[in-house]
Amino acid sequence: MSGKAIRALSGVALAVVCAAAAGGPATAHGAGRSALQRDADAIRDAGATGVQVRDGHGRVATSGVADLETGRPVSPHGYFRIGSTNKTLVATVVLQLVSEQKLTLDDPVETWLPGLIRGNGNDGRNITVRHLLQHTSGISDANWPAMDTEEQYLALRYTARTPEETVALAMAAEPESAPGAEWHYSNTGYVVLGLLIERVTGNAWHEEVDARVLGPAGMHHTVWPGDSPGLPRPHAEGYTRFAEGGPLVNTTELIDADASGGYLSTTADLNRFLRALFDGTLLDDAGLAAMRQTMPMDDEVTQLWPDARYGLGIFSRSLPCGGRVWIPSGDQLGYSTRTAVTEDGRRSVVVSVTTQQHDSFDSALAQERAVTRLIDNALCGDTGD
């Protein structure tokens, strides 16, 4: 199976967390530490090298090892790459700027970044801020440098690109669709949003995230790495299996810190973010309502997750116990981050898995099914509220 097809599970579908693919609803039960531990062990048994879990009540579980060479245990306080969870941080900043009337969701990109989106049918005059947030801009990731093999990873892991270089790669490809016509996941679209934040505020996008999101939410262990390829300690090593029957490759080191997916964080900090996002700390009622205006996704995704929808920087799906769960999650080589929060913001859970299964769809799906079961059990069980 192609790397692109597998990443439909652990890339585009990173935040949907396999509700429909999980083979039926999970059984609701108590989600105390023992249940978290059992479900974390099930993720390990599905092929993950290391797992750490924390729910919104501070209960934690770890499983597997942090390092295959030394066998050291996984720390419940370990740092990891949050991947596209980054997009929800960026979307939050943009929606704050909208609430402050510094821009609108219907502003064309051309208004703020003249001439940036041009060529091969791409036109920033027809793409709005809402389109970028919603993945309906049509901007293609077709020329995004691939790291589908160990050789490609080793060749590209220390390569740094400017946002402008990333956008230029996208402009060399035709758009996936007309703006607003269809949902197509676009990392490049969020790189553009990073540039837009800088133009509107005069500050780098990550400086605005630090001031507007991390500080107010109390996320003191969430860091932007810039061009540093490593992670703070403690952290588990990240591993990727690129080929069926191939080895788990240590893919911990990587330079990839643009606005589409750059931050490093912890399970405790991401739980703080989930609560702050839904309790009014970060967004006013209008901003949160705009974020939660969802739309269906493309056929490739809905074949696996029929009721999954996308808002502005965040996924949503139904829970087996009723209601919907909101999911700002993400993937980087070696790291899968799965976060989930209920609509009332009262229950949340964060799962960090330090293994990417790119060798086959079945192995990736098995890991995702185990994560889904943990999330559904944690959010649907008796959490002691």
Side-chain angles (χ1 to χ4, degrees), residues 94-109 111-112 127-133 193 196 200 312:
V94 172
L95 289 169
Q96 289 178 357
L97 294 172
V98 170
S99 293
E100 296 165 10
Q101 299 184 346
K102 293 181 179 177
L103 75 162
T104 78
L105 290 174
D106 296 320
D107 285 351
V109 176
T111 300
W112 295 102
I127 296 172
T128 67
V129 175
R130 188 191 309 274
H131 291 149
L132 294 174
L133 289 167
L193 285 167
L196 185 146
V200 172
L312 302 186

Side-chain angles (χ1 to χ4, degrees), residues 194-228:
L195 291 170
L196 185 146
I197 290 170
E198 182 173 352
R199 181 60 57 88
V200 172
T201 66
N203 300 314
W205 69 269
H206 55 89
E207 293 174 341
E208 290 295 315
V209 168
D210 286 356
R212 292 171 171 271
V213 179
L214 307 189
M219 299 169 66
H220 303 306
H221 298 283
T222 300
V223 296
W224 184 72
D227 288 344
S228 172

Side-chain angles (χ1 to χ4, degrees), residues 144-216:
W144 198 278
M147 284 189 272
D148 293 333
T149 66
E150 180 179 0
E151 292 74 22
Q152 289 173 339
Y153 163 71
L154 293 174
L156 297 173
R157 59 180 167 169
Y158 299 136
T159 301
R161 296 187 307 275
T162 67
E164 291 81 3
E165 288 171 338
T166 297
V167 175
L169 288 172
M171 295 303 99
E174 294 182 357
E176 299 284 348
S177 62
E182 298 176 5
W183 188 90
H184 292 284
Y185 199 82
S186 175
N187 287 299
T188 307
Y190 272 75
V191 175
V192 174
L193 285 167
L195 291 170
L196 185 146
I197 290 170
E198 182 173 352
R199 181 60 57 88
V200 172
T201 66
N203 300 314
W205 69 269
H206 55 89
E207 293 174 341
E208 290 295 315
V209 168
D210 286 356
R212 292 171 171 271
V213 179
L214 307 189

Side-chain angles (χ1 to χ4, degrees), residues 225-248:
D227 288 344
S228 172
L231 289 84
R233 293 188 181 279
H235 68 263
E237 302 293 293
Y239 295 93
T240 302
R241 179 172 280 114
F242 290 101
E244 190 166 1
L248 281 168

Side-chain angles (χ1 to χ4, degrees), residues 248-317:
L248 281 168
V249 178
N250 189 318
T251 53
T252 305
E253 293 201 341
L254 181 69
I255 296 176
D256 186 11
D258 59 35
S260 74
Y263 270 94
L264 315 175
S265 192
T266 65
T267 55
D269 262 19
L270 289 184
N271 268 294
R272 293 185 184 100
F273 173 60
L274 295 175
R275 298 301 182 96
L277 186 62
F278 279 80
D279 70 6
T281 299
L282 299 178
L283 291 176
D284 59 20
D285 290 345
L288 191 55
M291 177 175 275
R292 294 166 71 170
Q293 289 179 351
T294 61
M295 66 171 295
M297 293 183 288
D298 63 25
D299 291 342
E300 182 175 305
V301 177
T302 56
Q303 284 177 9
L304 292 173
W305 307 285
D307 73 340
R309 298 178 65 86
Y310 198 83
L312 302 186
I314 195 167
F315 289 80
S316 174
R317 66 163 172 91

